Amino acid sequence: MSEPLPLVFESPRRGQPPRHWADLTPTQRRELVEAAGHRAYRARQLSAHYFEGLRTDPGEWTDLPETVRASLAASFMPDLLREVRTQTADHGDTVKTLWRLYDNALVESVLMRYPDRVTMCVSSQAGCGMACPFCATGQGGLQRNLSTAEIVEQVVDGSRRLRHGDIDGHRVSNVVFMGMGEPMANYKAVIGAVRQLVTPTPDGLGMSARGITVSTVGLVPRMQQLATEGIPVTLALSLHAADDELRDELVPINTRWNVDEVVNAAWEYARQTKRRVSIEYALIRDVNDQAFRADLLAKVLKRRGNWGWVHVNLIPLNPTPGSRWTASRRRDEAEFVRRLRDKGVPVTVRDTRGREIDGACGQLAATDR
Ligand code: SF4
C-alpha cells in the first residue's frame, strides 16, 4: 500500500502526538467523555469498539447516535500511525510494516505467526540513543519517545490484520518490545502500554502478562522498577558479551552499568517475579562468538549454583548492508551452543524471521531515511 499525502492531525499537543483513547485510564476516559458533554457510559461503548472490536471508524459504531460519533472520534481516536510500506516474508508468516508518525518520524513493527502463537514485535522509540555499533537503528540516534497509544496502536493493527485474514491466526498472543528503541529509556509510556495490553476487555486488550516480553540493554534502575510493578512480564536482557571490555564496545551503556550489575539486576528480577529472564546474545562473527566466550557467559550467568532463573537466546546477527558486523559461521555457532549445553545452561538459537526483508531491528526504517 502506498503512502497518502502529508497527514493532518487533530490539534496535536505541542511536541507530542495527539492524545488517544489508548493513552487514558478507564477513569480518565469517563471523565473526559463527560467533560466533552457526553454520557459517561459512552466511554465503555468506545472502549468496546476499540479494544474488543478493533474499530476506529465511527461509521462502524452503530450503537452510538450518529450525532455523537464524529466528535468522539475527533477527540479520542486520531490517526497515530500511517502505513508507509508493508512487506511479507516466510511464506506470508511474517508481516513487517513501516509507519510514519504524526511528526514524520518512522518506526516499524513486525507480526510473526508460529505454529503455536502469533507474536507482535513493537517499537518503543523512533530511533534509539543507545548507539550499539552493530545495529542499524543505533546509527541514526534517538528521534523521540513513542507515546503509550503509538505503541498500543501497533498491537491493535496486528490484531486487526489477523481478524481481516491478512495473516492466518486467531489473535496476537505475544508482544515483544524488541523493535526500534530501548524500552526502558521510555519507561513511562512502555509500562503504560503494557497496562493497556493486560487490562481485561473491554477496558484493555486482555492479554496475559506471560505473553509480553520487555527487552533492555541494561538500564538497572528501570529493571528494578519493573520488578515492582506487579505485572510479571518476561524481561529480556540484551547482554551480547560477558566481559566488560567487549561489552563496553558492543553495548556502550555498559560503561554506566557493567556486566556484573546488569546480570545481578536480571537475577533479582527473576527472583522477585518468579519469571525466567531471557538473556539475548547476538552472535557476531569473530567478535563475540569464540568458544571461550561461551564458557565465560556460563560462568557469569551461574547464580547460586542453578540455571532455573535464566534462558539464553542466541541470535544469529542479521547483517546491515555495508557493515563489518556479520553473522557467525555455522560451526562457531554450533560450538557455542554445545559449550553452553554441556554446562547445563538452557539455550536456544532464535529463529531468524524476515531475513529477506531486512528483518533485523531498525533496518527497514534505516533504508527509508
Ligand atoms: S540494539 Fe537495541 S538498544 Fe542497541 S542501538 Fe539497536 S535498538 Fe538501540
Side-chain angles (χ1 to χ4, degrees):
M1 202 179 292
S2 61
E3 184 185 11
L5 290 170
L7 308 181
V8 180
F9 288 97
E10 294 293 327
S11 53
R13 294 167 292 171
R14 198 176 172 78
Q16 296 177 52
R19 180 194 60 200
H20 188 279
W21 199 246
D23 286 315
L24 305 169
T25 64
T27 307
Q28 289 171 328
R29 289 173 195 148
R30 269 194 310 279
E31 287 171 357
L32 285 168
V33 161
E34 278 194 302
H38 303 285
R39 312 292 283 273
Y41 65 83
R42 298 282 180 228
R44 200 168 174 80
Q45 288 177 304
L46 270 191
S47 286
H49 281 301
Y50 182 71
F51 290 111
E52 281 186 316
L54 312 172
R55 292 181 290 269
T56 48
D57 175 359
E60 295 180 282
W61 301 345
T62 50
D63 56 338
L64 279 86
E66 263 187 73
T67 46
V68 304
R69 290 183 209 164
S71 79
L72 286 170
S75 301
F76 299 113
M77 304 267 178
D79 271 348
L80 295 181
L81 310 180
R82 197 55 65 101
E83 185 176 322
V84 177
R85 186 170 61 239
T86 287
Q87 293 171 273
T88 58
D90 306 311
H91 309 289
D93 285 345
T94 304
V95 178
K96 180 161 180 159
T97 306
L98 177 67
W99 302 106
R100 192 179 294 281
L101 308 181
Y102 87 102
D103 56 355
N104 286 326
L106 297 170
V107 296
E108 60 199 356
S109 58
V110 188
L111 186 65
M112 293 163 282
R113 187 169 71 91
Y114 298 92
D116 58 337
R117 66 188 189 281
V118 177
T119 298
M120 189 83 218
C121 175
V122 297
S123 294
S124 56
Q125 297 182 306
C128 183
M130 294 295 128
C132 306
F134 58 88
C135 164
T137 303
Q139 307 320 297
L142 174 67
Q143 289 172 269
R144 71 165 169 89
N145 285 332
L146 266 56
S147 67
T148 287
E150 285 173 324
I151 299 168
V152 173
E153 276 276 89
Q154 296 171 57
V155 181
V156 168
D157 175 78
S159 304
R160 226 182 257 127
R161 284 177 195 272
L162 291 171
R163 189 163 292 180
H164 293 167
D166 297 358
I167 181 168
D168 288 341
H170 178 51
R171 53 192 284 272
V172 173
S173 52
N174 296 67
V175 171
V176 295
F177 287 79
M178 292 184 176
M180 295 171 79
E182 160 56 40
M184 298 290 189
N186 184 17
Y187 187 85
K188 196 164 168 242
V190 165
I191 199 69
V194 168
R195 287 192 195 287
Q196 304 288 9
L197 301 183
V198 301
T199 298
T201 54
D203 291 325
L205 284 169
M207 294 182 60
S208 163
R210 303 179 84 81
I212 297 171
T213 300
V214 178
S215 73
T216 182
V217 283
L219 274 59
V220 167
R222 298 284 88 82
M223 294 164 76
Q224 292 165 340
Q225 192 175 350
L226 188 66
T228 66
E229 297 284 355
I231 309 175
V233 296
T234 299
L235 178 69
L237 171 63
S238 299
L239 197 63
H240 305 319
D243 68 289
D244 286 322
E245 194 184 348
L246 179 57
R247 195 166 190 266
D248 281 352
E249 185 189 352
L250 295 182
V251 187
I253 197 75
N254 194 68
T255 56
R256 177 71 183 79
W257 291 286
N258 65 24
V259 169
D260 206 37
E261 290 170 302
V262 296
V263 172
N264 272 336
W267 183 79
E268 192 56 36
Y269 184 87
R271 195 185 65 75
Q272 286 184 40
T273 62
K274 311 274 184 285
R275 300 286 296 145
R276 200 183 273 252
V277 169
S278 181
I279 299 290
E280 310 291 306
Y281 195 106
L283 282 171
I284 309 171
R285 183 183 297 186
D286 299 329
V287 173
N288 67 353
D289 64 349
Q290 302 88 342
F292 77 92
R293 293 194 186 277
D295 298 342
L296 189 60
L297 178 62
K299 192 170 161 209
V300 163
L301 294 181
K302 195 158 191 173
R303 283 288 184 283
R304 308 216 173 143
N306 79 76
W307 301 111
W309 73 281
V310 73
H311 183 99
V312 173
N313 194 19
L314 298 173
I315 309 160
L317 189 78
N318 195 1
T320 311
S323 164
R324 72 187 172 94
W325 312 93
T326 193
S328 298
R329 296 169 197 89
R330 278 293 165 103
R331 65 167 193 275
D332 293 336
E333 178 185 304
E335 178 62 10
F336 205 94
V337 172
R338 191 188 67 76
R339 293 255 179 166
L340 291 175
R341 289 218 170 110
D342 278 359
K343 292 181 174 54
V345 183
V347 56
T348 45
V349 179
R350 188 197 283 178
D351 163 25
T352 49
R353 279 301 180 92
R355 271 194 184 278
E356 70 208 69
I357 52 170
D358 293 341
C361 155
Q363 291 187 9
L364 194 60
T367 56
D368 212 70
R369 279 189 194 107

